[in-house]
Amino acid sequence: MSTASFTSNFFGTGCFWKDESRISTVKKQNEGKVFVKCAVNTKTQKTEKAVRIGVLGASGYTGSEIVRLLANHPHFGITLMTADRKAGQSIGLVFPHLVTQDLPDMVAIKDANFSDVDAVFCCLPHGTTQEIIKALPRSLKIVDLSADFRLRDISEYEEWYGQAHRAPDLQKEVVYGLTEVLREEIKSARLVANPGCYPTSIQLPLVPLIKANLIEYRNIIIDAKSGVSGAGRGAKEANLYTEIAEGIYSYGITRHRHVPEIEQGLSDAANSKITVSFTPHLMPMIRGMQSTIYLEMAPGVTIEDLYQQLKISYEDEEFVVLLERGVVPRTHNVRGSNYCFINVFPDRIPGRAIITSVIDNLVKGASGQALQNLNVMMGYPENTGLLYQPLFP
């Protein structure tokens, strides 16, 4: 209803909308009944927002999630959207669920004008981002959602992504954007590498336990599962309905590109090299991610010690939630939100523990965390525009 003016009549707990444009006073008719007439015209009431946002790669899933989340952000307003294959089209044509948003049409990246932009969300595919970001004005704040700047070691990037790093000098100034862990560094950053979805769901529960020396660095086994949206919007045979439905598919066994990112973050926390066993699986669902982590506790450590450390680490955090003892996290319960739900359980094998962590791969695993990071970078409360509650059922 973004272009419509309307009034409302409230009858007890009911609400009826009529197409009117005038505002009248509130009048009591009978006890328990209040009639309210109001007018809202979002076209005429549209105001310029403080921070002008560019979304590069707006025609992909992470780009569309940025647009959705920014719809209710009081300070960030989109002034530029790029999508080379969809240039000239409106966001409503590309994503009909966003048809109510009054936004500029998408343009090709070569035609983008950044004179009216303060900050950029870069939602372009891996391998294309380094040269584009290198050419952007230095005045811009940038959150990159690709993997192109996540690995500090450019030789490691070349090994895992199969191509030379095209902006090695720029890599030196990048801050990794795991918000709850590196908040202070993010505050002063110009360019933030937004974490991957799997690494987010894995590092959030493990980093506090590693820093507290509560778990062994060896024999960490991670069994992770993701919805199909994690593979992007491009047409691929492996992502067809008949290929995905009614089955589970393990992929990237021992060679998934998120492995070095996971190990980089865990090794930083330990100040020592950590190697993990990580196997991801594609699930027949649209969005959602669960990481089940099997680990060995340090000598003398109990499950309660792990639980208490996670509680201390995240009790003041908005988006990381340690559930009550015994409650199993479910992807259904974080769908559409920026939350990460975690819990820890005793293994049947003495001295071992099982951690379960769930996120929405497109929100906390991508666009939501990106917005959280830009909020921090721009000095706004980091939950601004992110208080969407999970969508259930």
Side-chain angles (χ1 to χ4, degrees), residues 17-60:
W17 300 101
K18 296 180 181 179
D19 185 18
E20 296 179 13
S21 58
R22 65 184 183 277
I23 300 175
S24 70
T25 59
V26 178
K27 298 184 292 183
K28 271 194 175 180
Q29 299 288 316
N30 296 304
E31 187 176 353
K33 294 183 180 180
V34 179
F35 294 76
V36 182
K37 288 188 178 181
C38 61
V40 175
N41 188 320
T42 57
K43 286 267 189 184
T44 59
Q45 292 186 355
K46 184 177 179 180
T47 58
E48 184 175 336
K49 295 186 178 181
V51 180
R52 301 166 297 178
I53 300 294
V55 182
L56 310 187
S59 62

Side-chain angles (χ1 to χ4, degrees), residues 40-297:
V40 175
N41 188 320
T42 57
K43 286 267 189 184
T44 59
Q45 292 186 355
K46 184 177 179 180
T47 58
E48 184 175 336
K49 295 186 178 181
V51 180
R52 301 166 297 178
I53 300 294
V55 182
L56 310 187
S59 62
Y61 289 143
T62 57
S64 72
E65 280 293 273
I66 290 288
V67 175
R68 180 180 74 90
L69 295 172
L70 290 183
N72 287 327
H73 199 291
H75 309 297
F76 296 171
I78 297 172
T79 56
L80 171 70
M81 295 191 297
T82 76
D84 285 3
R85 288 179 294 178
K86 305 290 185 180
Q89 297 186 36
S90 68
I91 192 68
L93 282 176
V94 178
F95 288 106
H97 71 292
L98 297 172
V99 70
T100 60
Q101 299 306 298
D102 184 15
L103 297 171
D105 289 345
M106 289 177 275
V107 299
I109 188 71
K110 65 181 178 62
D111 299 323
N113 180 358
F114 291 94
S115 62
D116 194 31
V117 175
D118 302 307
V120 165
F121 291 106
C122 191
C123 307
L124 297 169
H126 311 318
T128 65
T129 301
Q130 291 157 356
E131 289 184 339
I132 289 172
I133 289 182
K134 184 168 63 174
L136 293 179
R138 293 282 305 177
S139 59
L140 297 177
K141 296 277 191 178
I142 303 165
V143 180
D144 177 33
L145 283 77
S146 82
D148 279 6
F149 290 99
R150 292 175 189 160
L151 301 180
R152 289 193 303 271
D153 186 339
I154 61 173
S155 64
E156 197 167 38
Y157 173 84
E158 293 168 6
E159 175 189 348
W160 286 84
Y161 287 88
Q163 62 185 42
H165 199 294
R166 296 183 174 90
D169 291 335
L170 193 57
Q171 182 67 58
K172 297 172 184 176
E173 71 171 274
V174 174
V175 172
Y176 186 68
L178 191 62
T179 323
E180 286 79 10
V181 175
L182 293 163
R183 183 176 287 114
E184 292 305 312
E185 292 85 347
I186 293 167
K187 285 180 180 179
S188 57
R190 186 187 76 88
L191 171 56
V192 165
N194 208 61
C197 45
Y198 286 123
T200 295
S201 67
I202 292 161
Q203 292 179 87
L204 285 174
L206 288 186
V207 165
L209 303 182
I210 290 171
K211 286 184 174 180
N213 298 311
L214 294 177
I215 63 174
E216 298 287 0
Y217 301 163
R218 63 180 184 272
N219 297 330
I220 297 175
I221 301 169
I222 304 161
D223 179 304
K225 299 174 176 66
S226 175
V228 183
S229 59
R233 204 184 189 199
K236 304 169 189 172
E237 180 180 301
N239 296 340
L240 293 173
Y241 177 81
T242 49
E243 304 288 332
I244 296 297
E246 301 179 23
I248 302 172
Y249 172 54
S250 302
Y251 67 104
I253 299 174
T254 75
R255 292 299 300 172
H256 192 281
R257 290 172 171 177
H258 283 175
V259 167
E261 182 184 345
I262 294 165
E263 293 180 347
Q264 174 181 267
L266 301 185
S267 298
D268 286 349
N271 292 312
S272 176
K273 177 62 177 174
I274 289 182
T275 302
V276 301
S277 178
F278 171 70
T279 304
H281 306 77
L282 199 60
M283 303 297 290
M285 60 187 188
I286 296 171
R287 60 165 82 203
M289 176 167 287
Q290 174 174 310
S291 290
T292 304
I293 306 165
Y294 305 88
L295 54 85
E296 184 177 343
M297 293 180 285

Side-chain angles (χ1 to χ4, degrees), residues 69-70 73 76 121 367-375 384-386:
L69 295 172
L70 290 183
H73 199 291
F76 296 171
F121 291 106
S367 304
Q369 187 161 217
L371 178 52
Q372 190 178 353
N373 282 325
L374 191 60
N375 282 335
T384 308
L386 287 170

